Amino acid sequence: MAGYENKTKPTQAPVQEFIAQVEHPVRRADAEVLDEMFRRVTREEPVMWGPTMVGYGSYHYEYESGHRGDALAVGFAPRKASQSLYGLLVQPEAPELLSRLGKHKVGKGCLYVNTLADVDLLVLEELMQTGYRHMTEVVDQPRTDG
């Protein structure tokens, strides 16, 4: 496992160009709103992680197996079927907030929202705040040498 390298890494690709190229007009408009919300909530500049994920902040992890890496703290990816939102499900507040969010689906580590018109944006903002705090203050681990 020590030789494993994460496939999803931060890139230098411009976030605004990526969002402007989202084909579906509703996904593109929602991506613009999500970008503004994540920037405001996290006070972080967005970074492209791989070709399709927009991330705000990062966290470091190290497993007992020796595998370690960095990942985006919170973020989103406009997909064909929905917006995939990352880092918003592991905080203790998530279940209660999700019950008030509106129409959504939950997958393995992802929150899926078809369109922002289907959800309560104030609840989504709270999910962003609590998710970002949890990922950067609780999940984030100190780096060790080696």
Side-chain angles (χ1 to χ4, degrees):
M1 190 63 89
Y4 176 81
E5 190 172 322
N6 289 340
K7 292 179 183 171
T8 306
K9 298 178 184 178
T11 72
Q12 297 297 315
V15 170
Q16 294 309 107
E17 284 182 26
F18 167 73
I19 291 173
Q21 293 173 1
V22 172
E23 223 175 286
H24 192 285
V26 173
R27 300 271 179 281
R28 184 174 51 253
D30 283 354
E32 290 169 353
V33 172
L34 287 168
D35 179 44
E36 184 279 324
M37 288 176 72
F38 274 114
R39 285 176 190 249
R40 184 170 30 82
V41 167
T42 66
R43 296 188 175 111
E44 298 272 4
E45 285 298 312
V47 173
M48 291 300 302
W49 285 73
T52 61
M53 298 169 69
V54 182
Y56 303 82
S58 65
Y59 70 95
H60 182 74
Y61 60 88
E62 293 188 19
Y63 299 139
E64 287 183 21
S65 66
H67 176 69
R68 69 181 90 191
D70 296 295
L72 60 88
V74 293
F76 71 97
R79 306 286 189 212
K80 282 192 187 243
S82 63
Q83 296 282 356
S84 298
L85 304 170
Y86 306 100
L88 308 185
L89 300 179
V90 297
Q91 69 272 32
E93 301 90 345
E96 191 276 326
L97 290 169
L98 289 171
S99 74
R100 297 188 288 122
L101 180 61
K103 186 178 175 184
H104 69 278
K105 293 180 182 175
V106 175
K108 186 178 179 183
C110 286
L111 170 63
Y112 301 103
V113 174
N114 187 38
T115 176
L116 293 182
D118 291 341
V119 299
D120 183 323
L121 293 181
L122 293 176
V123 174
L124 180 59
E125 188 169 302
E126 224 178 313
L127 273 166
M128 290 174 178
Q129 289 169 339
T130 58
Y132 177 75
R133 186 187 72 240
H134 187 80
M135 297 307 289
T136 58
E137 295 177 9
V138 177
V139 177
D140 188 38
Q141 298 175 336
R143 294 173 183 354
T144 59
D145 293 347

